[in-house]
Amino acid sequence: AAAGTAASSGENLVLDGVPAIPEALRLRLGRFLETRVAPLSASSDDGRSVLVTTRFGQSPQAHWVQKPLGARTQITFHSEPVRSPSFAPGATDAIVFTSDSGGNEQYQLFRQDLRTGERLRLTNGKSRNESYVWSWQGDRIAFSSNARNGRDIDIWISDGKTPGSAKLLLERTGHWVPLEFSRDGKQLLLLEYISINDSRIHLADLGTKTVRRISPEAPVAAYRGATLHPSGKRLWLARDREGEFNELYEVDLSKPEPTFKPLTRHIKWNIEELALSPDGKTLALAVNEDGLSVLRLMDTTTRKDRVVAGVPKGVIRGLGFARKANVLGFSFSSATTPGDAFTYDLGKGKLERWTESEIGGLPRSRFVEPSLVRFKSFDGLSVPAFYYAAKADGPRPVVVWIHGGPESQARPELSPLIQYLVTESKISVIVPNVRGSDGYGKSYLLLDNGFKREDSVKDIGALLDWVGKQPELDKNRVAVLGGSYGGYMVLASATLFPERIAAVVDVVGISNFVTFLQNTSEYRRDLRRAEYGDERDPKMREHLTRISPTTNVGRIKSALFVAQGQNDPRVPASEAEQIVAAVRKGGKDVWYMLAKNEGHGFTKKENRDTFSLLSVMFLEKHLGVGGK
């Protein structure tokens, strides 16, 4: 203990069964932990300044950048992470943002006056409020909220200025999200979300409060985004109704039954985001091609599209135009570059970078680009994975890093922890997109639903086979790391392949599907039943119990590190507690980290740093790697 920091309980952090963290490790890992990101949140109306969120203290706050690569001026000093800041339309003297408390995801809407610094809470302080959109006139905000009954997520409206002004606009059943107001402020475009493969587009008349369904009733399809023409007579949307991938469609709303014209049959990948220029002449599209983003622009008159030249290879998120300028904003990241803010001026054809985030003084040339590999699973399915190869003599140990969701997709974005493991610990990292992952077509997405859940775990078995065939990798030194659903995956892998996995890092993971479904927050329970199965059905309950890690805990031989946020509304802390107790009952040691001021993951720097330090320490120990 003299050579490190003792692991003990504190005000916000409980470390149970964890040894001291050596100061030498803090020094080695320290610069990697100083990596920042500064994703774009919104542009000013004229596109001449942007809002980003970045962290200079414990948690991300809103910053104003008034020229490309200019100073990031911090404008919120909230005690919790700030999300989705945006300017009030027509002005830059006030912003609205959302924030929760201790990771509980009960997001509230706040308005902050940038002249006086006064901050007002616009919502009730109790419910979950999110996905807000401004009217074009700047006189209203529409947002999603479960304030009515705690379960259904309705559409509410506020003046965006006054506490207590929020009113229930449309009472709905299920989960509804406002997408945008029409330009005249008379209509509101809505998304009804059932599951990853079942969603619907609706258009609400705000005068009569009637809701018109735009998407056909059958067959079931996923709708990934939609935007209205300035006239309100047309819209564009992305859906997978006719094929495997989300295609762009133009919809004529002038007829009693909307008509749909496909526009991107030549693109064999998902259109995952779209945005319309203020003049209505150009659509921006972010296309997900095998995990990498391609930015395209489409002329809405000729319906011809082109790839925007000069955009680096990586991942684009958050497409959005300035309200009164043909300036497109987005965030860009890659495996070796943090997430930063960019704009593209359509008139000038100019791509500009607005932020250049710090990476602890480390040269980017030090980081490793992954290669995209594929391996065959037990049934012949081709499974993609991003492979970060460590350079060292002799076969290298391996960490298999499994994403959550389960409908998420692992993409090549900078992870300081991955880069440290690969470049410093000399551990190769493989990040698979097992069946059920997004981005590879709707058939692939549905391959793990319900009774097929364990097939995705078998994909990890096939990946272990692949590892065994690579001469540069050591099949006897393999660890698995995953969060949320990925936490279930790593625990399940340890039960199915106990002899082949040396160590497991489980972050906010599901340990028993039945208790998870019973205890997850009420507003999201039916969404999860659509993916995992309904535990109220006896046959499904039997199946879910059979495949749960707590049922098979006696098979686990791997070393185990469990990390959890106490306020997690998605995967309750009880999921971590029961797997820790069960493994310890079997006489095995478990490292356990509980952050009292966090929810589904770690947003505060001190907690994230501690998790990273413990993960490296744990993996190096159990994979037989000596740190420098």
Side-chain angles (χ1 to χ4, degrees):
T5 302
S8 61
S9 297
E11 181 182 355
N12 289 316
L13 196 61
V14 175
L15 300 176
D16 182 6
V18 178
I21 299 171
E23 291 303 322
L25 175 58
R26 291 184 185 276
L27 292 173
R28 285 163 39 212
L29 186 55
R31 285 193 294 168
F32 287 81
L33 299 181
E34 292 306 321
T35 299
R36 274 188 266 269
V37 296
L40 183 141
S41 183
S43 301
S44 60
D45 285 1
D46 59 9
R48 295 179 181 176
S49 65
V50 301
L51 288 174
V52 302
T53 54
T54 193
R55 176 199 56 74
F56 284 97
Q58 281 297 317
S59 59
Q61 299 294 311
H63 291 68
W64 191 0
V65 186
Q66 300 193 50
K67 64 178 181 180
L69 298 181
R72 283 172 274 183
T73 303
Q74 187 169 341
I75 56 178
T76 63
F77 295 84
H78 205 51
S79 59
E80 297 285 351
V82 163
R83 294 173 170 84
S84 308
S86 68
F87 291 110
T92 54
D93 60 357
I95 64 168
V96 165
F97 64 88
T98 65
S99 186
D100 67 350
S101 178
N104 65 3
E105 299 187 8
Q106 298 292 90
Y107 299 111
Q108 305 301 314
L109 269 66
F110 295 86
R111 180 186 177 97
Q112 181 165 318
D113 190 308
L114 299 186
R115 298 164 300 181
T116 66
E118 182 183 18
R119 185 175 69 229
L120 301 172
R121 192 185 71 230
L122 302 177
T123 43
N124 63 12
K126 301 175 183 178
S127 55
R128 177 185 172 95
N129 311 276
E130 57 181 344
S131 304
Y132 75 89
V133 293
W134 284 99
S135 68
W136 286 81
Q137 294 73 25
D139 60 343
R140 289 170 294 172
I141 286 177
F143 61 96
S144 300
S145 178
N146 66 352
R148 177 171 58 88
N149 62 11
R151 180 185 66 252
D152 295 303
I153 298 181
D154 306 311
I155 303 298
W156 288 61
I157 201 158
S158 162
D159 66 9
K161 298 178 180 180
T162 313
S165 67
K167 306 293 181 185
L168 178 61
L169 175 68
L170 296 169
E171 183 177 317
R172 303 280 93 185
T173 299
H175 189 145
W176 289 66
V177 179
L179 298 178
E180 66 178 35
F181 282 89
S182 60
R183 300 293 176 94
D184 62 10
K186 295 180 179 180
Q187 298 183 96
L188 185 63
L189 192 61
L190 303 170
L191 174 74
E192 179 188 5
Y193 187 88
I194 308 299
S195 69
I196 188 71
N197 61 295
D198 183 1
S199 48
R200 299 93 186 257
I201 298 293
H202 303 262
L203 195 57
D205 185 301
L206 299 183
T208 62
K209 294 188 179 180
T210 55
V211 178
R212 175 190 181 192
R213 178 166 175 165
I214 303 302
S215 53
E217 298 248 349
V220 167
Y223 290 76
R224 296 295 181 97
T227 186
L228 282 162
H229 187 268
S231 67
K233 296 179 181 179
R234 285 189 291 162
L235 67 79
W236 292 269
L237 53 77
R239 70 179 188 185
D240 63 3
R241 184 170 182 262
E242 278 77 27
E244 283 292 313
F245 294 97
N246 284 276
E247 302 175 66
L248 180 70
Y249 286 80
E250 182 179 311
V251 185
D252 185 347
L253 300 175
S254 63
K255 301 174 183 177
E257 288 294 325
T259 57
F260 294 76
K261 180 181 179 64
L263 302 180
T264 56
R265 287 277 159 88
H266 58 291
I267 300 174
K268 304 302 182 184
W269 296 98
N270 276 344
I271 308 295
E272 57 183 3
E273 292 190 32
L274 62 154
L276 181 67
S277 60
D279 61 10
K281 295 180 179 179
T282 306
L283 271 171
L285 310 174
V287 184
N288 180 344
E289 296 189 2
D290 229 347
L292 295 171
S293 296
V294 175
L295 180 61
R296 292 175 175 264
L297 298 177
M298 175 176 284
D299 185 306
T300 58
T301 300
T302 65
R303 301 180 179 88
K304 293 182 179 180
D305 68 280
R306 62 180 176 86
V307 174
V308 177
V311 179
K313 185 172 71 172
V315 179
I316 290 172
R317 300 187 189 276
L319 286 185
F321 277 95
R323 294 186 186 93
K324 295 182 179 179
N326 287 338
V327 176
L328 175 69
F330 57 91
S331 301
F332 172 85
S333 61
S334 75
T336 61
T337 307
D340 277 310
F342 285 75
T343 60
Y344 182 77
D345 188 312
L346 270 62
K348 299 177 181 178
K350 186 177 182 181
L351 180 70
E352 287 192 297
R353 182 176 191 159
W354 285 73
T355 59
E356 188 167 4
S357 291
E358 300 81 0
I359 51 175
L362 296 165
R364 284 178 172 79
S365 59
R366 186 172 181 171
F367 293 159
V368 173
E369 285 274 4
S371 58
L372 182 61
V373 300
R374 291 183 178 270
F375 60 92
K376 293 289 185 182
S377 193
F378 68 96
D379 56 357
L381 182 72
S382 177
V383 179
F386 290 101
Y387 175 28
Y388 296 78
K391 296 180 180 179
D393 295 332
R396 272 81 78 194
V398 177
V399 169
V400 177
W401 190 298
I402 308 175
H403 70 71
E407 314 99 334
S408 299
Q409 181 186 19
R411 304 184 70 177
E413 298 178 89
L414 179 63
S415 164
L417 183 52
I418 287 178
Q419 291 294 343
Y420 183 88
L421 292 173
V422 175
T423 60
E424 299 296 309
S425 302
K426 305 302 181 185
I427 299 172
S428 291
V429 177
I430 305 171
V431 189
N433 278 305
V434 297
R435 69 188 67 209
S437 299
D438 196 12
Y440 305 97
K442 62 185 180 185
S443 295
Y444 195 90
L445 190 65
L446 298 174
L447 285 176
D448 67 341
N449 282 12
F451 290 103
K452 296 180 285 187
R453 176 63 46 206
E454 219 167 39
D455 286 353
S456 61
V457 187
K458 293 177 183 177
D459 288 345
I460 300 302
L463 177 54
L464 297 177
D465 294 339
W466 182 88
V467 167
K469 297 175 184 176
Q470 312 309 309
E472 77 276 15
L473 300 178
D474 187 343
K475 67 178 182 179
N476 296 314
R477 291 190 292 162
V478 178
V480 288
L481 182 154
S484 191
Y485 173 74
Y488 157 72
M489 288 287 292
V490 299
L491 292 170
S493 296
T495 69
L496 283 183
F497 318 112
E499 307 292 343
R500 305 173 71 183
I501 295 174
V504 173
V505 180
D506 162 30
V507 189
V508 297
I510 299 167
S511 63
N512 185 295
F513 280 113
V514 174
T515 57
F516 159 71
L517 290 167
Q518 290 172 336
N519 296 323
T520 192
S521 294
E522 187 179 13
Y523 64 82
R524 65 189 311 276
R525 192 169 294 142
D526 285 341
L527 297 180
R528 296 299 83 201
R529 284 170 174 157
E531 169 66 28
Y532 297 123
D534 192 332
E535 84 286 0
R536 296 167 298 184
D537 175 78
K539 289 185 178 180
M540 181 56 70
R541 188 184 188 92
E542 180 184 0
H543 168 71
L544 292 173
T545 299
R546 181 184 63 78
I547 67 171
S548 290
T550 52
T551 303
N552 304 294
V553 69
R555 301 178 190 169
I556 296 178
K557 296 183 179 180
S558 316
L560 180 61
F561 171 31
V562 177
Q564 178 70 42
Q566 182 172 280
N567 306 318
D568 193 338
R570 305 189 207 182
V571 181
S574 54
E575 291 297 302
E577 292 163 0
Q578 63 190 10
I579 194 66
V580 168
V583 172
R584 285 179 174 169
K585 186 177 180 180
K588 299 182 181 68
D589 290 334
V590 181
W591 293 15
Y592 183 41
M593 169 181 165
L594 178 69
K596 298 179 182 179
N597 58 345
E598 298 278 17
H600 198 63
F602 308 116
T603 62
K604 296 178 174 65
K605 187 178 188 300
E606 60 183 353
N607 297 327
R608 197 164 57 248
D609 286 0
T610 300
F611 168 74
S612 296
L613 286 160
L614 291 175
S615 294
V616 169
M617 189 174 157
F618 177 82
L619 292 169
E620 287 187 346
K621 174 183 178 181
H622 293 289
L623 295 181
V625 175
K628 291 182 181 178

